[in-house]
Amino acid sequence: MHALEQKILTEGIVLSDQVLKVDAFLNHQIDPKLMQQIGVEFAQRFKAAGISKIVTIEASGIAPAVMAGLELDVPVIFARKYQSLTLKDDLYRSKVFSFTKQTESTIAISKKHIAADDHVLIIDDFLANGHAALALVDLIQQAGATVCGIGIVIEKSFQSGRQLLDEKGFHVESLARVKSLTEGQVTFVREESN
Amino acid sequence: MHALEQKILTEGIVLSDQVLKVDAFLNHQIDPKLMQQIGVEFAQRFKAAGISKIVTIEASGIAPAVMAGLELDVPVIFARKYQSLTLKDDLYRSKVFSFTKQTESTIAISKKHIAADDHVLIIDDFLANGHAALALVDLIQQAGATVCGIGIVIEKSFQSGRQLLDEKGFHVESLARVKSLTEGQVTFVREESN
């Protein structure tokens, strides 16, 4: 997705050859118009999949997921990273290890908001090792629901997540595929479909 | 806002005479079309204020804030509740006590994303005692920026927050004003402007 790649090139900050900081438009400050374009793009790529619900993780997944939900006209659920007082229902839980933060956390969604007949699109801001995506897959499969696809805003293609998800047979669509962050430069995977 | 009040009446759950659970469309599952209507309504109410930036708190403030940002064509910043590895910049910090969770946490925004000449609209999902809103005001004022207004999705008018913010002279707009949650029933404050 050209507009997203341009935004990464102009406003992304390469912190190391592993870490790309996009706090200027996605992870802290959010560019609403870019999120809308991202939502339209996800909807375009997954509209044939019969999606009934979108699942993401707080907090940075929410903006792109809600914009995709608006386009696809389906509800969005964000998995919570902790159990709040008002989230007491029976929960599906899964553990996820954050590459960025080097911590393990438990994510959860309420059983009442996902059903066995749901066809779910997972959306997340980053794909690195795939741990977050697989934890979301786990939550959805606990409900007996179907994972129809995984939409990623920024994929770090030099880490193992994409290959892992491909090998498991998931339909993955990443709007920007970062090939490398070496020497402070962002380079992208070039595909015919881009 | 009629559509929001109707949603609260049909899908909100009164957990006690203090706690209204809206996990079906705002705090866990999100209704994207309702969020869009909320964004349009906030933009309508604050469009004359010369807003240059919206500030909210993760996670439930993000969806309504991004929709308002889309309408007002301004960036959105969400204050983070913890310091992540990629959020290392100089930060403005403030403490906030959560009524719902009965815990104190530190929220922070990066100094680089807010400037002294910013005219800021604060958006949050709930207004109870006003602690979260005042912590956001504190962050914005640390930057020397101007708080132009505070937009709340659901105000619990029987708690002290609204009066506190009014007394401090802020322009507060709440899209649903809950007068009472007694006996398991939601009743709303009736205003001419509703």
Side-chain angles (χ1 to χ4, degrees):
Chain A
M1 184 180 163
H2 184 71
L4 175 61
E5 290 185 354
Q6 288 305 115
K7 196 78 168 180
I8 292 169
L9 291 173
T10 54
E11 298 188 24
I13 296 171
V14 179
L15 285 185
S16 73
D17 61 3
Q18 300 288 311
V19 180
L20 172 65
K21 179 173 169 167
V22 290
D23 280 2
F25 60 91
L26 180 59
N27 293 144
H28 183 35
Q29 183 167 258
I30 298 171
D31 179 332
K33 283 207 188 308
L34 180 64
M35 294 304 120
Q36 186 183 43
Q37 292 173 278
I38 284 169
V40 168
E41 182 72 23
F42 278 136
Q44 181 67 27
R45 296 192 188 197
F46 290 105
K47 67 183 177 186
I51 306 297
S52 67
K53 198 152 281 194
I54 292 172
V55 171
T56 187
I57 306 188
E58 63 178 348
S60 297
I62 293 174
V66 169
M67 289 300 184
L70 188 65
E71 287 298 316
L72 289 167
D73 195 14
V74 297
V76 173
I77 303 174
F78 61 92
R80 307 215 69 150
K81 286 178 182 161
Y82 52 90
Q83 185 171 352
S84 84
L85 186 68
T86 58
L87 198 66
K88 280 181 180 170
D89 311 270
D90 284 344
L91 300 169
Y92 298 114
R93 292 185 178 80
S94 191
K95 288 187 188 298
V96 56
F97 182 79
S98 166
F99 172 80
T100 314
K101 294 177 202 148
Q102 295 286 315
T103 55
E104 188 179 73
S105 58
T106 297
I107 63 170
I109 60 176
S110 170
K111 290 183 181 178
K112 71 191 287 188
H113 294 307
I114 189 158
D117 61 353
D118 268 320
H119 288 71
V120 180
L121 171 60
I122 290 171
I123 286 185
D124 207 4
D125 56 335
F126 268 95
L127 174 61
N129 291 316
H131 295 171
L134 287 175
L136 290 171
V137 166
D138 181 33
L139 293 178
I140 293 158
Q141 291 180 342
Q142 285 180 49
T146 306
V147 176
C148 293
I150 300 173
I152 300 294
V153 181
I154 302 175
E155 171 188 310
K156 295 195 281 187
S157 308
F158 54 88
Q159 291 184 243
S160 58
R162 176 58 185 264
Q163 187 179 346
L164 189 63
L165 297 178
D166 283 344
E167 284 170 1
K168 288 177 181 289
F170 293 110
H171 173 197
V172 182
E173 294 281 350
S174 301
L175 304 191
R177 304 189 66 195
V178 176
K179 183 179 178 182
S180 164
L181 296 171
T182 54
E183 295 178 5
Q185 295 293 314
V186 182
T187 56
F188 296 102
V189 177
R190 287 290 150 224
E191 298 174 290
E192 288 178 30
S193 61
N194 275 7
Chain B
M1 184 181 162
H2 183 71
L4 175 61
E5 290 185 354
Q6 288 305 114
K7 196 79 168 179
I8 292 169
L9 291 174
T10 55
E11 299 188 26
I13 296 172
V14 179
L15 286 185
S16 72
D17 60 4
Q18 299 288 309
V19 179
L20 172 66
K21 179 173 170 169
V22 289
D23 280 4
F25 60 90
L26 180 60
N27 293 145
H28 183 36
Q29 182 166 258
I30 298 171
D31 179 333
K33 283 207 189 309
L34 180 64
M35 294 303 121
Q36 186 183 43
Q37 292 173 279
I38 284 170
V40 168
E41 182 71 24
F42 278 137
Q44 181 68 25
R45 296 194 189 196
F46 289 106
K47 67 183 177 185
I51 305 298
S52 67
K53 197 152 282 191
I54 291 172
V55 172
T56 187
I57 306 187
E58 62 177 348
S60 298
I62 294 175
V66 169
M67 290 299 184
L70 187 66
E71 287 298 315
L72 289 167
D73 195 14
V74 297
V76 173
I77 303 174
F78 61 93
R80 306 215 69 150
K81 287 178 182 161
Y82 52 91
Q83 184 171 352
S84 85
L85 186 70
T86 58
L87 198 67
K88 280 183 180 169
D89 312 271
D90 283 344
L91 299 170
Y92 297 115
R93 292 184 178 81
S94 191
K95 288 188 189 298
V96 57
F97 182 80
S98 166
F99 172 80
T100 314
K101 294 177 203 147
Q102 295 287 315
T103 55
E104 187 179 73
S105 58
T106 297
I107 63 170
I109 60 176
S110 170
K111 290 184 180 179
K112 70 190 290 189
H113 294 307
I114 189 159
D117 62 353
D118 269 320
H119 288 70
V120 180
L121 170 61
I122 291 170
I123 286 184
D124 206 4
D125 57 336
F126 267 95
L127 173 61
N129 291 316
H131 294 170
L134 287 174
L136 290 171
V137 166
D138 181 34
L139 294 178
I140 293 158
Q141 291 180 341
Q142 285 180 47
T146 306
V147 176
C148 293
I150 300 172
I152 300 295
V153 180
I154 302 174
E155 171 189 311
K156 295 194 281 188
S157 307
F158 55 88
Q159 291 185 243
S160 58
R162 177 58 184 265
Q163 188 179 346
L164 188 63
L165 297 178
D166 282 345
E167 285 170 0
K168 289 177 180 289
F170 293 110
H171 173 197
V172 181
E173 294 281 350
S174 301
L175 304 190
R177 303 189 67 194
V178 176
K179 183 179 178 180
S180 164
L181 296 172
T182 54
E183 295 177 5
Q185 295 294 312
V186 182
T187 57
F188 296 103
V189 176
R190 287 291 150 222
E191 299 176 291
E192 287 178 30
S193 62
N194 274 7

